[in-house]
Each structure stands twice: as C-alpha cells, then as structure tokens.
C-alpha cells in the first residue's frame, strides 16, 4: 500500500511529461538498448563501472550505436558521491554518416534518503563531447550538463539492502542542457523520463528492464523534434561480495 501511495504521487508529474512529449513530438521512433554493466566495488567507498551499450532503431531510418564507458566513483559520505568517466562510441547515423565520439565526464550524486526504504537522489553530470565525422575527417566539440532526479523503490523487501532475492522499481527524470552548441548528429538529447523494474538475483547479478520516453532534437534533417520510445535491457554484475559498496553504478 505504501508503495502504491508513493507511485500515486508521481502520476501527475509523469503524465505531464508523457503528454507533453507526445504533443510536441513531430516524429517518433522505437529503440532498443542492450546494456551490460560490470561493477568493481572495493574498500566500501569506491566503485569502477565498465559498461557496454548496443542500441539501434527498430524501424527506418535505421541507425546503430556501440559504446564503451569507464566510470570510477568515490563515496565521500552517505550523502555525496563524486565520479569521473570516459566514453568511446561509434554510431552509424545514416547511410552516409558515421561518427566516432570521445566523451569525458565529471559528476556528483546527492543522496536525500540514504538509509530509508525508498532511495531518492539527484545526479549531476558535466560532459565534454568530441565527435569525429569519419567521412569528412572533421572533429566537433560540445559541452552539456545533465541533471536527473531518481527514486529506487524496493517491492518485496523492506530495504534495498535486505538480503535474498529482491524486486525493485526505478523512476527518474533527466534534463539535458547544451552549454554551447549541438553536435551534427541525428539525436541531440534534451529530456528523458524512465520507469522500470529490476530483479536482484543475488548480490552479484541484477536484471533490469527500463522504459524511457525521450525528447530529442534532430539537428541534421531540418531540426525536427522527435519523441522516442526506448526499451532498455540491462545486466548488472558486481564483484567483491565480502565488502559490498553502496554505490550502484551509472550507465548512460
């Protein structure tokens, strides 16, 4: 009942953005993202996440992207984590355009309810994006900030830190702010709303299915706005069971 009441409070907020996205979106697409995240926590305050992501559109115009990301994190206290990261990615954006991206990131996560049943937190990231058009050989650079509000809700346990098999819900909303200019790419992200469910098989293995509605701005084909439905399948693995960390990893 308590979980239903919490979710109920989110309904007006979620509905507003879902409706706004549908109304404003002039184009729509369905995408699938397959993500694998390997986490190495140690000393109870550090974590290194190695993540791989393959994503593609399910209909024309087809595009395909493969990304690898390394993200070290440090938990300064139960309320604040800091992190850095580097991403390497290649995207076939159209038949004539293939891009390579090198992305550096600095960020921080603020935990509002670190020891409560429902975990709420805010993640702030600043990114420098360097993109190479492999056909023209030209590099472009851009900077953007990402701000997200997140909630993780245990379903069949009293806490996310309880032992045994655990089902949990995922809710978050993220806004993107381009600080200088858009890169010449098919999808320049502006807004994401995510809702999903996860299952912790054991400490070392978790499975997640996340639905994302994404507002994007197309900077190649006449600057059309798009609304995308993204279906994300995630596998998360953790090592060092003897010293479990409160850090959960990030992904993209």
């Amino acid at each position: 009942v308590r979980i239903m009441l919490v979710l109920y409070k989110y309904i007006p907020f979620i509905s507003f953005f879902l409706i706004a996205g549908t109304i404003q979106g002039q184009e729509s697409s369905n995408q699938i993202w397959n993500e694998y995240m390997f986490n190495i926590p140690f000393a109870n305050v550090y974590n290194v996440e190695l993540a791989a992501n393959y994503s593609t559109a399910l209909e024309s115009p087809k595009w395909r992207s493969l990304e690898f990301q390394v993200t070290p994190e440090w938990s300064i206290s139960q309320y604040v984590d800091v992190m850095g990261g580097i991403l390497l990615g290649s995207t076939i954006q159209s038949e004539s355009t293939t891009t390579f991206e090198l992305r550096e990131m600095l960020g921080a996560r603020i935990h509002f309810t670190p020891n409560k049943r429902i975990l709420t937190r805010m993640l702030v990231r600043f990114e420098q994006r360097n993109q190479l058009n492999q056909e023209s050989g030209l590099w472009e650079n851009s900077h953007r900030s990402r701000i997200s509000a997140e909630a993780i809700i245990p379903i069949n346990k009293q806490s996310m830190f309880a032992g045994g098999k655990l089902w949990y819900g995922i809710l978050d909303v993220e806004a993107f702010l381009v600080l200088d200019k858009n890169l010449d790419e098919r999808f320049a992200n502006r807004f994401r709303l995510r809702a999903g469910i996860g299952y912790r098989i054991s400490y070392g293995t978790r499975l997640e299915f996340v639905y994302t509605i994404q507002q994007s701005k197309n900077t190649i084909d006449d600057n059309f706005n798009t609304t995308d439905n993204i279906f994300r399948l995630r596998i998360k693995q953790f090592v060092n069971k003897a010293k479990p960390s409160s850090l959960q990893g990030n992904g993209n």
Side-chain angles (χ1 to χ4, degrees), residues 27 178 182-191 214-228:
E27 295 181 355
V178 177
N182 292 325
L183 296 178
D184 188 25
E185 60 185 344
R186 180 166 292 279
F187 296 104
N189 300 320
R190 286 294 181 272
F191 170 84
Q214 175 177 269
Q215 281 289 131
S216 303
K217 189 174 183 180
N218 190 324
T219 61
I220 290 181
D221 301 330
D222 301 325
N223 294 322
F224 290 126
N225 290 325
T226 66
T227 299
D228 308 309

Side-chain angles (χ1 to χ4, degrees), residues 8 27 39 49 59 65 68 71 78 86 99 104 116 125 130 134 138 156 165 181 184-185 206 220 228-229 238:
Y8 178 79
E27 295 181 355
N39 288 270
E49 181 183 72
E59 65 273 308
S65 180
F68 298 95
T71 308
Q78 64 176 342
I86 186 166
T99 57
E104 298 97 6
K116 303 296 184 180
R125 289 178 281 186
N130 309 284
Q134 295 182 354
L138 297 177
N156 64 329
K165 302 183 185 303
K181 63 178 181 178
D184 188 25
E185 60 185 344
R206 305 173 192 184
I220 290 181
D228 308 309
N229 300 297
F238 293 78

